[in-house]
Amino acid sequence: MFKYPSDLKIIQKRITKNLIIIGRTGSGKSTLSNVLTRSEDFEESDCSNSVTLDFQKKGFEWNGKSFNVIDNVGFYNTHLSVNEVWHKIARSFCSTMPEGISQILLVVDDSRFSAAEVEKIFGLLNSIFENDILDYVTIVRTKFNNFKSKKECDADKKLRNEIINPRRNIVYVNNPPTNIQIIDEEDEEVVIINKKIRERSRKIILDYLYKTCQDNYFKLKPLDQYVSRLPNNQ
């Protein structure tokens, strides 16, 4: 049967997984984006100063599937107000993935893993974009040294479930830096090891997404329908 161009466009969109990366400044959002896309296109920083000032998009292929990754400005951005941060996040949702969202990855690390803050973010996502969006959110616990140990991950998850809604999905990874200054052979070895660790993390999270990421999208409304729901600067 002949397919009209519009039909072909719909088919193309359905095979692309759209991933939104959000999290606190310094939590490892941009690092995760680099790990997933196997690139250095997203500026990484391990300090509390914000380096991501707007959303950034990049596509990649894995196991015959197409993915889009959107890295966003961080919560508690040192250059933007609360309202400006959420406005940029909402704009990234609506303008870069008009067909919808496959999964939102909320990146947290242990030093910034406040249960109250995590649940606040879930609450804001719920109030801004409506309740069904929470079915599309996964917590990515990064900087977890024992991420390869199921026993350690399960133990941490059990602890987290005592303070965070147990319905929240959590994936454990570790993405150590590879952009360190090379002084000697020891530094070169560190980079090689860290690249291998990042590859292992990449496989863990992509295997998870392959199994759990819905084929359907969370459908988005026009941006102007969300603006009035964005948090103020209090």
Side-chain angles (χ1 to χ4, degrees):
M1 178 185 295
F2 174 78
K3 291 183 174 60
Y4 292 97
S6 59
D7 294 327
L8 294 175
K9 186 176 182 181
I10 291 173
I11 291 172
Q12 177 64 34
K13 286 184 176 181
R14 282 180 179 167
I15 64 173
T16 302
K17 304 293 186 182
N18 291 329
L19 310 177
I20 295 279
I21 314 291
I22 61 174
R24 186 168 182 162
T25 291
S27 62
K29 297 181 299 79
S30 300
T31 301
L32 177 63
S33 300
N34 278 333
V35 169
L36 287 173
T37 59
R38 277 184 177 161
S39 73
E40 297 179 356
D41 293 352
F42 302 86
E43 186 174 358
E44 300 181 22
S45 173
D46 59 0
C47 65
S48 58
N49 279 333
S50 304
V51 295
T52 304
L53 300 180
D54 208 345
F55 60 83
Q56 184 177 345
K57 179 178 179 179
K58 185 176 179 63
F60 70 96
E61 300 285 327
W62 183 78
N63 274 9
K65 291 186 178 293
S66 298
F67 291 81
N68 287 320
V69 169
I70 298 287
D71 182 27
N72 274 282
V73 296
F75 304 121
Y76 305 99
N77 190 286
T78 55
H79 306 290
L80 302 170
S81 69
V82 173
N83 181 268
E84 288 172 329
V85 167
W86 277 98
H87 192 279
K88 285 179 178 289
I89 290 174
R91 185 161 60 89
S92 79
F93 283 24
C94 300
S95 64
T96 62
M97 298 179 176
E99 66 271 31
I101 296 169
S102 301
Q103 195 76 187
I104 299 172
L105 303 179
L106 172 57
V107 181
V108 298
D109 65 10
D110 197 44
S111 63
R112 297 174 175 84
F113 200 108
S114 162
E117 290 178 3
V118 169
E119 289 302 324
K120 181 180 180 181
I121 292 170
F122 273 87
L124 285 169
L125 287 171
N126 178 36
S127 63
I128 296 170
F129 300 102
E130 301 175 352
N131 190 55
D132 288 348
I133 198 171
L134 299 186
D135 295 332
Y136 294 78
V137 183
T138 293
I139 296 172
V140 178
R141 166 71 162 88
T142 190
K143 303 177 186 177
F144 192 72
N145 291 331
N146 294 316
F147 75 104
K148 292 183 286 186
S149 168
K150 185 178 185 302
K151 179 180 178 180
E152 293 294 332
C153 292
D154 288 345
D156 187 84
K157 190 176 298 184
K158 181 179 179 181
L159 175 63
R160 303 301 173 186
N161 285 345
E162 295 176 359
I163 57 177
I164 293 179
N165 189 327
R167 293 182 57 223
R168 312 301 188 211
N169 294 322
I170 305 178
V171 178
Y172 292 84
V173 297
N174 187 26
N175 297 318
T178 57
N179 58 351
I180 65 175
Q181 185 178 6
I182 304 297
I183 304 297
D184 51 29
E185 291 183 359
E186 185 176 292
D187 294 329
E188 293 176 349
E189 291 175 2
V190 169
V191 171
I192 292 172
I193 291 171
N194 287 355
K195 284 182 177 180
K196 290 180 179 179
I197 294 173
R198 287 166 73 131
E199 274 298 306
R200 183 68 176 268
S201 292
R202 183 177 191 262
K203 185 177 188 308
I204 286 174
I205 197 164
L206 287 174
D207 282 344
Y208 166 82
L209 290 171
Y210 184 83
K211 295 176 183 177
T212 63
C213 201
Q214 296 100 325
D215 288 333
N216 57 309
Y217 296 116
F218 177 81
K219 300 295 184 181
L220 294 157
K221 299 176 182 178
L223 177 61
D224 58 8
Q225 296 191 34
Y226 297 124
V227 171
S228 63
R229 306 177 188 175
L230 300 178
N232 57 32
N233 296 325
Q234 300 299 318

